[in-house]
Amino acid sequence: MNLKAGGQTRRRGAALEQAILDAAWEVLAEQGYPGFTYEAVAARAGTSRPVLYRRWPQHEDLLLATVRRFWSSQPIELPDTGNLRADAIGFLRNADVGRTRMLTLLSVQITDYFRETGMSLGELRDTIGPADQPPPFDTILARAVERGELAEPPRSPRVASLPFDLYRHEVFLSMKPVPEDVIEEIVDEVWLPLLGVG
């Protein structure tokens, strides 16, 4: 058995990587991008900088791995209620529970990263998100077409993603969860009329 001083089991492999990324997320949340250093993360994780460098040679590699882990650890459940309106509102409610804190934290804590790299939050999302999954509202719309609620899905990706785009806009404006009435307004007064559903 591999032991550290004091009889504690030495962390290796996936367990060590998880501990490092947990520590990295804590550093990012508390200190923001300026404080997100190899030194700070290694100290928080109880390991050494060379251990981090071997896994993530570049500072950006460590940041993206940290954000990717916590983005993927909080997936937004995609409802399948049998109704277009209920699916859309349900998804936005689930996003409000699962992603509001992360969205606000990222928009505030890594502003300097966006400024330094020229990357936008949308580009970051595309970088860390799963490449093999369709956008959630594409799935919601496809199901509605299969059920006969829509003749065909909208041709514009912007129209398809509009509810989540408006939801995210509300989050960034208020930096807090979006009220239920606003979620319903986004769906009932903007999106469904745009789709020709009444």
Side-chain angles (χ1 to χ4, degrees), residues 1 5 15 35 53 57-58 74 110 128 136-137 144 170-171 192:
M1 180 182 297
Y53 286 127
Q58 303 297 322
Q74 300 179 36
I110 62 173
I128 64 177
F137 275 92
E170 291 289 335
V171 171
L192 293 181

Side-chain angles (χ1 to χ4, degrees), residues 51-63:
V51 170
L52 272 64
Y53 286 127
R54 283 196 295 272
R55 287 169 170 77
W56 303 284
Q58 303 297 322
H59 184 244
E60 184 178 14
D61 298 334
L62 177 58
L63 177 70

Side-chain angles (χ1 to χ4, degrees), residues 27-88:
V27 170
L28 184 63
E30 293 173 10
Q31 303 181 33
Y33 185 68
F36 188 77
T37 64
Y38 283 104
E39 292 81 359
V41 173
R44 180 67 62 93
T47 188
S48 66
R49 285 182 297 172
V51 170
L52 272 64
Y53 286 127
R54 283 196 295 272
R55 287 169 170 77
W56 303 284
Q58 303 297 322
H59 184 244
E60 184 178 14
D61 298 334
L62 177 58
L63 177 70
L64 293 178
T66 300
V67 176
R68 182 179 293 110
R69 167 170 158 71
F70 280 85
W71 191 270
S72 63
S73 72
Q74 300 179 36
I76 305 173
E77 183 182 350
L78 188 61
D80 188 4
T81 66
N83 177 267
L84 175 60
R85 177 184 185 272
D87 284 355

Side-chain angles (χ1 to χ4, degrees), residues 143-165:
R143 289 172 179 168
V145 171
E146 289 176 5
R147 292 190 300 262
E149 288 183 88
L150 288 176
E152 60 181 17
R155 295 180 180 178
S156 167
R158 187 173 297 279
V159 172
S161 67
L162 185 61
F164 194 69
D165 293 340

